Amino acid sequence: MRFITSIAAALVEAWGELRVSRLRVMLSLIGVAVAVAALTAVTALGAVAEQSQREQQERYQGRPALLTFMPSDSTGMKSPDPSLTTTAFQDAADRYGIDWTSRVLQDSGSVELPRGVTEMPIMAVDPDYGTMHRIAVREGRWFDADDADRFAPAVIVSTDLWKELGSPDLRTHPHFELSGTSPSTAVVIGVTGETCDGQCLSMTMLYDDFVKTGFTRIDDGPGAYIPQPSYEAWVPPSTAKKLMPRIASAMSLALGDGWQINPSRMDYAAQLGGYDPYLPLKLAVGGIAGLVLLLGALGLVNISLVTVRYRVREIGIRRSFGATAGRVFFGVMMESVVATVVAGLIGVAIAVAVLKNPTVIGFITSSVQDVPPFPISAALIGLGSSAAVGALAGLVPALVAVRVKPIDAIRL
Amino acid sequence: MTLLRLEQVTRTVELPDAEPLHILRGVDLEVEVGDHVSIVGRSGSGKSTLLNLLGLLDEPTSGRLVFDDVPLERMRSGQRDRRRGRDVGFIFQQFNLLPGRSAIENVVTPLLYAPPAQFWRRRRLAADMLDRVGLGGRLDALPTQLSGGEQQRVAIARALVRGPRLILADEPTGALDVETGERVMALLDQVAEDSGAALITITHDRNVAALARRHYRLDAGVLTPTDADVAVGATVPVGTSAAAAPSPVAPAWPAASSPPVAMPSAFPGERL
C-alpha cells in the first residue's frame, strides 16, 4: 500500500507540475509527439503493408508450408487420368497423416449471365482450399463437405460477377446456368473480394462438380486437351522439406513407370527464406523517426535542465517537507515520463488518424478490400519509446535535482 | 518529555585557502514537547546553520543531536527525511509558497510525502487546516492573489498539516508589517499550543521573541539562555522604532477586533 501510495503521490506531484507549466511542457513536447507519431505510423505502415502483402500471397500461393505436386507423363504416350493421380495423392497424404489437401485446377468455361453467355476463368478446388489459402469470403460462406452432395453445384463468385448478377441477396439462392456436356444450374453460396471495376468475372467451384459439368469436352478425341489438376498439401513448415520428396516418390510408385511427380513449394515463407522485403524501408523511416525522437529528447533535456535550476527553491521546499532524495529524483523523472507519455498518446492518436484514412491505406496496399485494423504492436512501440525517451530525458535533470541542498535552495 | 536535545554541538566549515569557519560552538539546547523557544541573533551569528541542524537538514561537525531519543547519527538519510516530514514543520521568512499553485495545493504538498492514510485524504486534511487558519473561503486562491499575511497563514497551514511535533519558524514575520506580523505570530502560537507542538522561532524581532516562554541568544556561534528583556533588547525590531513598538507582552490585537486566538473567528474574512 505504501509503495502504491508513493507511486500515486509521485504521479500527482508530476501532474501538478506539468499543469502549472503547461506552456513549457507543450513547447518541449511538440517534437516528441511528432516523432512518436512518425515512429508509430512507420511501424504500423510496415505491419499493415506486410499483413496485406502476406494475405495476398497466401491467397495465391497458400499458407506456409504449402506443397504442390504436379504429375506429368515423361513418355508423353499416356493420357493423363485425373482419377488415378487423385487416388495416388490421397493414399500418399493418408500415409503421412496430412489433414489438409486439395486438388486445384484453373480453367475457363461458359456461363449464362443476364448479358448473355460469357466465358470466364473457373477455379476448381476441394473445400480445404479455403483454409489452406485463407480465402476471405465477403458475403455468404466458403464450401463445406456437404456441398459435394448437392444436385445444383455450389459456386463462389467474385465481387464483379456478383454485381453482374445484380448483387442479389444470397439467402434468395441466386443461380445461373453452366454450359458444358452436362449443363447444370449453379447456386451462388459466397462472394470473394476480387474486383477490378467489373472486369474480373470469375468463379470457384468444387473440383468434382467441375468435372461433372464437363466444361472440357473429353470426347473431343485422343488429342483433346484434358486438364490435369495439381495437388496441394498443407503441412507444418518444419516437416515440409522431408515430406516433399516422400510424397512425390509415393505418388510415382503408385502411378507406375513413366510418371513423374514434380513437387514444389510456392508459399512466401519458402520464397523469402526469412527475408523481409520491407526491411530497408522500415529501417530508413524508423531511423529518421528515431533521430527526430532523439532531437525531441535533447530539447526536452535542455528545457528540463533549465527548469530544474529555476526550480531549485521549490525542490528545497519539498525536501524540507519530507521529500527524500529518492523521491525528488523519481518526481523529476516522472514529470518527464508523464509528459512524454502524454505526448506519445497524442502522437499515436495522430498516427491512428492518418492510417485509418482509406486514401493513405490505398498507397501501401494496391488491392485493399478492407482497411486493416491499426496494429496494437505499433501503438505499444510508440508509447514505449515515448516513455523511454521521457525517462532518458529526465535522468540528467533528476540527478541535478537530487544534489540540491535544501536550506541553501530555500534561502536563494 | 524531551523532544530535541543538542549536546555540545559544533559546526565548522572547511574553507579553501583559509582558516576553518566555526559557525556554531558548543551549542547546548533542550526542547520539550509543547515548548516555545525563541532564538535571536544578528545576521551571520549562525541562526540558519542552527535551523538546518534543528530541522535535520544538516549534521553537526561534533557533539550530539538527539531527536525523540534517537541520535541523529543513527538515522539514515531516508529515515531522516521521513522523520522531518512527519515531525517537523517549517515556516519561512519569504513564505516560500510554491508558485502557480493554489492555497490548497500548497497545503497538500507535505501530504504527498505522507503515509497512505494521510495521502488519500489529502484534500480534506488540507481544507480543514486552511479553515483553521481562517482561509476556508480561499482554498483556490493563488499566492499572487493573497496578501502577505494570508500567504504566511497558508505557510502555517502547510507546516502544520501533517501534525508535526516541532515547528521551526525562521523569521516568520520578517516580510510582514508589524501589525500583521503580530497577528500571524499570535495565530502560530495558538495553533502550536492547540496541537501540542514545540515551537522554535528564530528571529531578530523583539515582539516575536517576546511571545516565547524561553529565550536564547545566538552570538558568534554561541547559544546562551537569556531572560525575555535581554533577548528582546538584543536587536532593534525591524520595521518599527522602539518607541512605537507595542509592549512585547501586550496582545497585538486591536481592541475592537476579535481576541488573538487561532480559530477562524480570529480572521473574519479580513485580509491581513
Side-chain angles (χ1 to χ4, degrees), chain B residues 63-97:
Chain B
R64 283 185 95 208
L65 190 154
V66 183
F67 192 101
D68 205 14
D69 291 334
V70 184
L72 186 69
E73 64 267 19
R74 277 218 242 128
M75 292 183 216
R76 283 202 302 264
S77 165
Q79 284 175 315
R80 208 184 297 168
D81 291 333
R82 276 186 284 275
R83 182 173 282 273
R84 184 188 320 121
R86 190 183 70 201
D87 289 336
V88 184
F90 283 89
I91 295 163
F92 307 103
Q93 178 178 3
Q94 295 298 335
F95 323 133
N96 279 325
L97 298 184

Side-chain angles (χ1 to χ4, degrees), chain B residues 141-212:
Chain B
L142 293 172
T144 46
Q145 298 165 326
L146 296 169
S147 68
E150 285 172 326
Q151 288 190 43
Q152 194 60 305
R153 279 194 274 158
V154 173
I156 290 172
R158 182 175 65 177
L160 290 164
V161 73
R162 283 189 68 181
R165 299 164 70 200
L166 174 65
I167 301 166
L168 291 175
D170 181 17
E171 302 281 7
T173 61
L176 303 172
D177 63 67
V178 175
E179 196 180 335
T180 309
E182 282 166 359
R183 290 189 190 192
V184 164
M185 271 318 291
L187 167 73
L188 180 58
D189 199 30
Q190 187 67 47
V191 177
E193 199 171 316
D194 288 350
S195 62
L199 174 62
I200 299 179
T201 314
I202 291 185
T203 183
H204 52 247
D205 184 327
R206 64 184 186 179
N207 295 326
V208 170
L211 288 166

Side-chain angles (χ1 to χ4, degrees), chain A residues 15-367:
Chain A
W15 183 248
E17 176 56 33
L18 294 177
R19 211 167 39 79
V20 167
S21 39
R22 258 167 299 196
L23 185 67
R24 167 182 75 79
V25 171
M26 252 168 56
L27 285 176
S28 63
L29 291 181
I30 289 173
V32 176
V34 169
V36 168
L39 195 70
T40 311
V42 167
T43 317
L45 267 176
V48 167
E50 203 175 331
Q51 186 192 335
S52 119
Q53 176 92 354
R54 190 148 292 173
E55 278 176 12
Q56 261 184 344
Q57 284 169 336
E58 282 177 351
R59 191 176 321 141
Y60 296 115
Q61 295 150 7
R63 294 161 77 172
L66 197 105
L67 310 181
T68 307
F69 302 93
M70 196 70 203
S72 67
D73 171 31
S74 57
T75 63
M77 301 297 287
K78 296 168 191 153
S79 304
D81 184 349
S83 60
L84 281 179
T85 49
T86 298
T87 312
F89 174 67
Q90 271 313 329
D91 290 348
D94 290 345
R95 186 191 301 175
Y96 293 106
I98 298 166
D99 297 329
W100 301 88
T101 59
S102 175
R103 290 165 289 183
V104 181
L105 185 67
Q106 308 257 15
D107 205 347
S108 62
S110 303
V111 301
E112 285 177 31
L113 299 181
R115 68 172 173 189
V117 174
T118 309
E119 178 93 1
M120 69 175 67
I122 299 173
M123 182 146 81
V125 297
D126 287 316
D128 284 355
Y129 186 90
T131 308
M132 291 159 67
H133 289 255
R134 213 199 289 271
I135 302 285
V137 179
R138 305 186 81 193
E139 300 275 336
R141 61 173 178 84
W142 181 254
F143 301 110
D144 60 30
D146 297 337
D147 288 326
D149 306 327
R150 294 168 74 117
F151 180 67
V155 294
I156 292 170
V157 299
S158 67
T159 298
D160 285 353
L161 178 52
W162 182 56
K163 284 183 181 157
E164 181 69 27
L165 295 168
S167 305
D169 185 346
L170 297 187
R171 285 169 300 185
T172 63
H173 305 294
H175 54 272
F176 51 84
E177 298 303 316
L178 302 174
S179 310
T181 48
S182 322
S184 56
T185 303
V187 178
V188 180
I189 60 161
V191 181
T192 58
E194 287 105 324
T195 174
C196 34
D197 300 325
Q199 301 304 305
C200 296
L201 303 181
S202 66
M203 64 180 213
T204 306
M205 59 193 298
L206 289 176
Y207 181 83
D208 290 330
D209 287 338
F210 175 83
V211 173
K212 264 188 251 165
T213 311
F215 287 105
T216 306
R217 295 165 187 273
I218 295 168
D219 54 358
D220 277 358
Y225 162 70
I226 299 174
Q228 172 73 43
S230 61
Y231 296 90
E232 289 186 352
W234 185 33
V235 299
S238 57
T239 60
K241 231 178 192 162
K242 266 193 229 162
L243 282 176
M244 209 146 72
R246 287 185 188 171
I247 295 171
S249 65
M251 280 178 77
S252 342
L253 269 175
L255 289 171
D257 285 345
W259 281 97
Q260 246 183 1
I261 306 294
N262 303 315
S264 62
R265 187 179 162 192
M266 297 294 287
D267 60 84
Y268 66 87
Q271 289 174 36
L272 298 174
Y275 171 74
D276 180 355
Y278 291 97
L279 195 64
L281 178 77
K282 278 201 272 189
L283 283 179
V285 189
I288 293 167
L291 273 178
V292 178
L293 201 59
L294 189 71
L295 287 176
L298 283 177
L300 200 63
V301 170
N302 196 8
I303 292 176
S304 308
L305 266 178
V306 172
T307 317
V308 161
R309 297 241 159 83
Y310 166 76
R311 283 171 54 201
V312 160
R313 180 195 287 259
E314 182 192 321
I315 291 165
I317 295 167
R318 289 186 186 277
R319 292 297 306 266
S320 73
F321 285 115
T324 58
R327 183 57 194 279
V328 166
F329 180 88
F330 189 61
V332 174
M333 188 92 140
M334 280 308 280
E335 274 170 35
S336 185
V337 173
V338 168
T340 51
V341 166
V342 171
L345 277 172
I346 295 168
V348 169
I350 293 171
V352 172
V354 168
L355 286 193
K356 273 289 170 192
N357 188 326
T359 323
V360 177
I361 286 290
F363 280 122
I364 40 166
T365 59
S366 48
S367 61

Side-chain angles (χ1 to χ4, degrees), chain B residues 22-53:
Chain B
H22 299 286
I23 303 171
L24 294 178
R25 301 160 189 261
V27 170
D28 288 310
L29 178 67
E30 201 163 318
V31 180
E32 302 287 321
V33 173
D35 215 347
H36 185 169
V37 177
S38 73
I39 299 171
V40 294
R42 289 191 175 86
S43 296
S45 58
K47 294 196 301 268
S48 299
T49 307
L50 183 58
L51 184 82
N52 290 357
L53 288 168

